[in-house]
Amino acid sequence: MPAERAGYTVTMFLIDTSPSMGKLRTVQLPPGPNNEERTSEITRLEWALQFVKLKIQEMIYNGRKTDQCGVIVFGSEDTNNIINEQNGGYENVSDYIPIAQPNAATLSKLDALKATDIYGDPLDAIIVGIHTQAVHLASKKTWTRKIVLITDGESPIELEDWEATVDKMNSLNVSMTIVGVDFDSENFGYVEANKTEMKKTNEAFFHEFISKVDNGIVGTCEEALQETARPDIKQTKSALMGTLLRLGDVDTKADEAFELVVKTSKCTAMSRPKSWKKFAVRETNPRESSQDEDAEIDMEDDKAETAKVAYAQLKMRSEYYVEQGGEADAEDDVKMEDDDEILLDKRKGKDKEVRLPSEEENTPHLEKVEREELIRGFKYGTTYAPCPDGQFPRLNTRKGIDICGFFLAKNFRRELSMGEIQYVWADPNSAKQQAAFSSIVQAMYEKDAIAIARWVTKDGMDCKMGVLTPVVWDEVDCLLWAQMPFADDVRKYTFASLDHLVNKKGEVLTEHPFIPTEEQLDAMDNFVDAMDLMDAGDKDEEGNRTPWFDTLESYNPSVHRTKQAMFHCAVVSDLSANPLPPPHPELLKYFDTPKRVLKRSRDALEECKNVLKVKQVPKKVARTRKDGHALAQDEDDNLLLEGKEPSLHHDMSQIQISEAPSPDNVKAKASVENSETEEEDEEEELLLDKVKKRATSPSAAPRKNQPLPTPARSMSPEIDPGRAPDRIIGSTYPLADFKKNIAQGDVVTKAVEDLAAVIIEIAMRPFSSRRHTELIECMQFLRETALLEDEIDAWNAFLVNLKDKCTSEPGNQEFWSEVKGVGRGLSLISNKEAKQNGGTSKVSESGSINFFS
């Protein structure tokens, strides 16, 4: 696909609003929460407008001023077009939206379109669209012209001299797209049943019309809507930026150096998903809210209350404080800004650290300062270096690409290539420069060498280090620039060998449970070969298997799915009635392993399991005993965690006294060790017995006539939180556990469910009356959290369950009476209250009030 210039396009949408476009049709919706099938009935016009709005939304998404569109409606009740104003005719064709850069108002106007009682001629709309587009682009001959016709083919068409219209379109190089509602499509596999004769005739004419157009296509609306969700990567032309390519010192040693004028352009560009803006429900007056809750409202008041719920965008605001009570700790009391930067107080000629107060701190000793009173500082070790100008002086650099040296391409580590790739071209306006540049590229290509270079984009800017790789094509030679990290940016980590083991005697082990055998290596090799994807794809024309994975067809799900969600929310007014459709199949193409590979690797996988003796080990939850007893280690823990001994949790009153072993003890221990297998002896030698070393060290032995140290005071034993294995809320301090988990933000649903279960368990226990006040407090905080975090259904279900438990036998009538005494503040969350906080509830206002009655 050739690269086209981004933008500089005018697209005319011709929309049919004839009476037949008002007919209802059934549209399939995504499955519901329980995987049930769902459908919706909308008009043909509303269904077809989804395609138009998605195309216009893409223009808004790109944000180019040169990407413009206009909308012409045929079948309208009035006539408003430039041909009718000049020469008459072309009735019921209206210029609905003039050509301009689209915005949100464009989509709102499209939503207002309705089917009329008047038929319009599609050919008249095409002629008006061509003329309107030509008048707008009178002096812009290089712009791209597109026309998109939306119709169901049920309107009569005047077929006189339609060939002249096609000739005019071809002369202006206009591309034509016809999107037909329920048109037949062989490629898509759709054929409409019980089609009228009018539609059959018009559909055949549209296919003949498109066959005469140089750049045209006709398709059905359902296929067009599906194609809008297809991941699309457009190849665009990158602007050429001028710079200089230097080798050597052109100032002091001009005879041994050269300087060429070159152009650079992007080869690849990183694509990121569009960022989301954060919104929150506007806070209402508490007095007004309480008055509304106490009053009974009808359905009309409920709708009015819904309209009052407004959302406001959240914006970041920074405030700066200086601690006056002494010097602040550099690690604990400093709020970092921009990674390693911080603002310092420059008043009175002293530098003080600035931080933002946390909620847990007592803030009266902090003094608020303005940003103008601060200077920027950078962290240097444990201190901060002030930088009054906001940045340290830059290097005296000069614009251009300086070649520092050459080395063989085989010595280049590919993992060091980072960032985007840039083309480096010769100057297109100088043949002499092109010949010199080509000679450098050819020499590097023949020697299989690449250059390390230093790139400065502008005088005085920071430099970048990278490599220049030669590329030789049939008609042009160029260099590819890839940025590399500086030495300070690379961290080197060393790891122990997995197949080279040495015991304490310095002997290299060739056989060990942790060293794979030849049989195991062969089994793993067979398994890896069976998972080869290079022949797991479809067959080509000659019957040979093709590779399964292609990087050009592998799309980023986060980019395209986010884009699809944004487009869908922009063109759909009610997400509950019309939820987000599933991703396009092309986006999920490489999510599942090919069946051919799974079938082929099944036997190799079983062989690996048998040879490697793989078995499922149930997960054990280790619980530390209160008496400080250490758990025994697993057999396979020692070598992988060599030198790491189990942590022994002792009370302060427990003192470990190590004694030097006597010769008798050593002999006795040796006799016991000789009874073990030789394999365990080797494993024992691999381990570093640090406990034994401490016992045999002179400092560990007790001195003669030295009194034993006085034991310290015993520490209080840890309190059992009463937390079940599958819960995050304990029964000892349920509210504290709940607040701690809520602060994390990602376990709200689990925390609400667990706290509800804990409240019911405590209420049903004997002697629970001592904790009734605590349970009421938990319920109040739980209800507030459920209302704010949209866990309304969980709260209502919990309250109904609690009522059933308390009022049944044996139950807890006393606790339920106390809950009823609190009143409306602990009742069910009604639909009115939920809407005020941006949620929904199935409980009416009267049902919530009468719940305790």
Side-chain angles (χ1 to χ4, degrees):
M1 168 178 159
E4 64 179 23
R5 186 169 58 165
Y8 301 96
T9 303
V10 173
T11 305
M12 299 299 300
F13 293 97
L14 315 179
I15 302 176
D16 188 0
T17 58
S18 301
S20 57
M21 292 292 285
K23 294 181 180 179
L24 295 177
R25 73 182 316 279
T26 302
V27 178
Q28 291 288 338
L29 297 178
N34 299 324
N35 206 23
E36 70 274 10
E37 293 186 359
R38 295 190 297 177
T39 58
S40 175
E41 286 192 348
I42 58 176
T43 64
R44 292 179 176 178
L45 180 61
E46 292 173 342
W47 190 49
L49 281 178
Q50 290 184 12
F51 171 78
V52 179
K53 289 189 287 186
L54 286 171
K55 286 295 184 182
I56 293 178
Q57 175 60 30
E58 186 171 2
M59 301 178 190
I60 300 174
Y61 181 85
N62 295 330
R64 300 189 186 99
K65 293 183 179 180
T66 56
D67 215 351
Q68 302 176 0
C69 71
V71 177
I72 293 177
V73 175
F74 61 97
S76 60
E77 296 178 351
D78 56 348
T79 301
N80 178 22
N81 60 79
I82 57 177
I83 300 181
N84 179 267
E85 294 175 356
Q86 298 173 358
N87 305 318
Y90 299 92
E91 302 292 333
N92 305 117
V93 179
S94 178
D95 190 357
Y96 186 64
I97 300 177
I99 298 175
Q101 182 185 4
N103 51 32
T106 308
L107 300 177
S108 300
K109 278 192 172 184
L110 290 175
D111 291 333
L113 279 178
K114 303 294 180 184
T116 63
D117 297 331
I118 301 173
Y119 286 96
D121 191 338
L123 204 55
D124 288 349
I126 293 175
I127 297 173
V128 172
I130 295 172
H131 189 71
T132 304
Q133 195 178 57
V135 171
H136 182 78
L137 297 176
S139 59
K140 303 173 182 177
K141 301 184 182 298
T142 59
W143 282 44
T144 304
R145 308 180 186 213
K146 296 180 180 180
I147 292 180
V148 180
L149 176 66
I150 311 295
T151 182
D152 61 351
E154 298 282 0
S155 302
I157 304 175
E158 182 63 42
L159 301 179
E160 184 178 359
D161 294 335
W162 63 270
E163 292 88 352
T165 304
V166 174
D167 295 338
K168 184 66 174 179
M169 294 178 64
N170 292 335
S171 63
L172 295 175
N173 197 19
V174 178
S175 63
M176 182 73 182
T177 301
I178 299 178
V179 179
V181 178
D182 295 329
F183 275 22
D184 296 344
S185 176
E186 296 181 0
N187 297 332
F188 192 66
Y190 176 80
V191 177
E192 184 185 10
N194 303 323
K195 185 176 296 186
T196 62
E197 291 298 327
M198 173 72 74
K199 188 168 185 178
K200 289 180 181 179
T201 304
N202 291 342
E203 192 172 336
F205 165 73
F206 284 132
H207 281 280
E208 184 180 1
F209 184 89
I210 288 297
S211 64
K212 303 294 184 180
V213 179
D214 293 341
N215 187 8
I217 187 174
V218 59
T220 185
C221 185
E222 186 176 359
E223 182 181 8
L225 285 173
Q226 182 175 334
E227 288 301 306
T228 56
R230 176 186 290 273
D232 184 21
I233 299 178
K234 293 185 178 179
Q235 297 182 6
T236 57
K237 293 182 179 179
S238 175
L240 294 176
M241 307 298 293
T243 187
L244 298 173
L245 179 66
R246 288 185 291 266
L247 177 61
D249 190 352
V250 295
D251 295 330
T252 60
K253 298 181 180 180
D255 297 339
E256 302 176 1
F258 67 83
E259 186 178 65
L260 300 178
V261 178
V262 294
K263 301 289 184 179
T264 62
S265 62
K266 286 187 176 182
C267 176
T268 60
M270 184 177 295
S271 179
R272 295 184 177 89
K274 287 283 186 178
S275 60
W276 297 88
K277 296 180 179 179
K278 295 183 179 180
F279 288 82
V281 180
R282 287 186 180 273
E283 295 184 0
T284 57
N285 192 339
R287 295 182 179 179
E288 296 179 0
S289 300
S290 60
Q291 291 176 1
D292 292 341
E293 291 175 358
D294 296 338
E296 294 185 359
I297 59 175
D298 53 11
M299 293 299 294
E300 295 181 358
D301 294 334
D302 213 0
K303 293 180 180 178
E305 193 68 30
T306 303
K308 294 181 181 178
V309 177
Y311 290 84
Q313 182 179 351
L314 300 179
K315 297 182 179 180
M316 183 70 69
R317 186 184 67 182
S318 300
E319 295 181 354
Y320 305 94
Y321 293 81
V322 176
E323 187 173 0
Q324 300 297 326
E327 294 297 330
D329 184 80
E331 295 295 331
D332 301 331
D333 296 337
V334 176
K335 176 64 178 178
M336 303 301 296
E337 178 183 272
D338 296 336
D339 295 335
D340 291 340
E341 302 175 9
I342 191 168
L343 295 178
L344 306 176
D345 187 9
K346 62 181 180 182
R347 298 174 302 166
K348 300 179 182 180
K350 297 182 178 180
D351 295 337
K352 293 185 179 180
E353 296 154 345
V354 179
R355 63 185 176 91
L356 294 178
S358 60
E359 296 180 357
E360 295 81 0
E361 293 177 332
N362 187 14
T363 58
H365 64 287
L366 299 178
E367 178 185 355
K368 183 178 179 180
V369 295
E370 299 299 329
R371 183 181 179 89
E372 291 76 14
E373 303 177 7
L374 306 174
I375 62 175
R376 192 174 299 278
F378 294 85
K379 189 174 183 180
Y380 184 72
T382 58
T383 60
Y384 292 89
C387 185
D389 298 332
Q391 63 181 10
F392 294 104
R394 294 180 178 271
L395 296 175
N396 187 17
T397 56
R398 184 171 54 174
K399 178 181 177 181
I401 304 175
D402 292 280
I403 297 178
C404 302
F406 299 90
F407 61 96
L408 295 178
K410 64 180 182 181
N411 296 330
F412 177 64
R413 294 166 54 188
R414 289 295 302 271
E415 70 271 13
L416 295 182
S417 176
M418 52 183 281
E420 301 174 358
I421 307 299
Q422 300 258 12
Y423 286 117
V424 180
W425 312 93
D427 185 8
N429 300 321
S430 175
K432 185 177 180 181
Q433 298 275 350
Q434 294 175 14
F437 182 81
S438 179
S439 64
I440 298 174
V441 176
Q442 291 284 350
M444 294 173 60
Y445 183 78
E446 292 177 3
K447 297 293 184 181
D448 194 21
I450 57 180
I452 182 169
R454 177 174 177 262
W455 190 354
V456 179
T457 57
K458 190 187 299 184
D459 290 342
M461 295 297 292
D462 295 335
C463 60
K464 300 177 181 178
M465 296 301 297
V467 292
L468 293 172
T469 304
V471 177
V472 177
W473 285 317
D474 294 338
E475 299 180 356
V476 66
D477 299 335
C478 69
L479 295 172
L480 291 181
W481 160 273
Q483 186 178 353
M484 291 177 59
F486 290 96
D488 298 336
D489 300 328
V490 180
R491 295 185 179 181
K492 298 181 180 179
Y493 298 95
T494 57
F495 301 93
S497 175
L498 297 178
D499 57 359
H500 184 76
L501 296 181
V502 180
N503 59 15
K504 289 169 52 177
K505 298 179 181 179
E507 300 172 348
V508 178
L509 302 181
T510 57
E511 295 183 1
H512 192 272
F514 299 141
I515 298 179
T517 62
E518 291 296 331
E519 184 182 8
Q520 293 172 343
L521 292 175
D522 293 340
M524 184 57 65
D525 287 341
N526 296 335
F527 179 56
V528 173
D529 293 339
M531 293 190 297
D532 188 7
L533 300 177
M534 297 306 294
D535 59 350
D538 298 330
K539 293 182 178 180
D540 56 12
E541 298 177 353
E542 298 178 358
N544 300 322
R545 289 283 179 179
T546 59
W548 175 74
F549 183 79
D550 187 357
T551 54
L552 298 179
E553 297 180 0
S554 177
Y555 305 100
N556 189 335
S558 63
V559 173
H560 297 283
R561 185 61 171 165
T562 301
K563 180 180 177 182
Q564 182 186 6
M566 286 184 171
F567 283 20
H568 185 78
C569 295
V571 303
V572 173
S573 57
D574 188 1
L575 287 175
S576 300
N578 194 353
L580 179 66
H584 194 276
E586 285 294 322
L587 197 60
L588 309 177
K589 185 175 182 179
Y590 297 121
F591 273 37
D592 298 324
T593 308
K595 296 181 180 179
R596 174 180 173 84
V597 173
L598 291 176
K599 181 179 179 181
R600 186 174 57 189
S601 61
R602 188 177 297 118
D603 295 338
L605 178 60
E606 293 299 327
E607 182 184 1
C608 282
K609 289 182 179 180
N610 296 331
V611 174
L612 297 174
K613 300 178 181 179
V614 178
K615 60 181 179 179
Q616 184 176 3
V617 179
K619 185 177 180 180
K620 297 180 180 179
V621 181
R623 299 185 61 182
T624 306
R625 295 180 54 173
K626 297 180 181 180
D627 58 358
H629 180 73
L631 297 176
Q633 289 182 311
D634 293 336
E635 294 179 357
D636 296 338
D637 286 347
N638 295 330
L639 188 63
L640 297 179
L641 303 176
E642 185 173 354
K644 183 177 180 180
E645 59 188 45
S647 58
L648 303 178
H649 178 73
H650 294 286
D651 293 338
M652 294 297 295
S653 60
Q654 296 176 344
I655 304 299
Q656 181 178 0
I657 307 300
S658 301
E659 296 181 357
S662 62
D664 296 337
N665 291 337
V666 175
K667 293 180 181 179
K669 186 173 183 179
S671 62
V672 174
E673 290 180 349
N674 290 335
S675 63
E676 302 294 336
T677 62
E678 183 179 356
E679 179 182 358
E680 292 175 341
D681 284 340
E682 292 177 354
E683 188 170 348
E684 190 70 23
E685 292 176 353
L686 285 170
L687 303 178
L688 299 178
D689 196 350
K690 293 186 177 181
V691 178
K692 184 185 297 184
K693 289 183 178 180
R694 285 202 304 268
T696 58
S697 62
S699 59
R703 300 177 182 176
K704 296 182 178 180
N705 303 327
Q706 175 115 5
L708 292 176
T710 303
R713 181 180 177 182
S714 300
M715 302 296 292
S716 301
E718 296 182 0
I719 300 176
D720 184 11
R723 192 177 299 116
D726 58 340
R727 289 182 184 168
I728 60 176
I729 306 297
S731 59
T732 305
Y733 301 110
L735 187 56
D737 291 349
F738 184 72
K739 291 180 178 180
K740 180 180 179 181
N741 285 280
I742 286 297
Q744 299 179 5
D746 55 348
V747 291
V748 176
T749 301
K750 177 64 175 174
V752 169
E753 294 176 356
D754 288 1
L755 182 59
V758 168
I759 291 174
I760 295 177
E761 288 182 2
I762 296 176
M764 295 298 105
R765 291 177 182 175
F767 309 106
S768 63
S769 58
R770 296 174 296 179
R771 305 185 65 179
H772 283 180
T773 304
E774 179 187 0
L775 294 181
I776 295 294
E777 185 180 359
C778 291
M779 291 180 62
Q780 291 174 339
F781 193 83
L782 177 61
R783 189 180 191 274
E784 179 183 357
T785 303
L787 189 59
L788 296 177
E789 299 291 344
D790 197 18
E791 297 291 340
I792 298 172
D793 293 340
W795 165 263
N796 291 340
F798 152 71
L799 199 60
V800 172
N801 189 17
L802 179 65
K803 180 180 180 181
D804 295 340
K805 294 282 188 179
C806 292
T807 55
S808 60
E809 293 295 330
N812 192 342
Q813 289 287 352
E814 180 184 357
F815 176 64
W816 184 247
S817 300
E818 294 183 19
V819 174
K820 291 172 60 178
V822 177
R824 183 70 173 80
L826 286 182
S827 184
L828 298 174
I829 299 177
S830 65
N831 189 25
K832 170 193 170 183
E833 189 177 4
K835 288 181 179 179
Q836 291 177 347
N837 291 272
T840 58
S841 175
K842 299 179 181 178
V843 180
S844 63
E845 182 69 17
S846 59
S848 176
I849 297 175
N850 300 328
F851 179 71
F852 287 136
S853 60

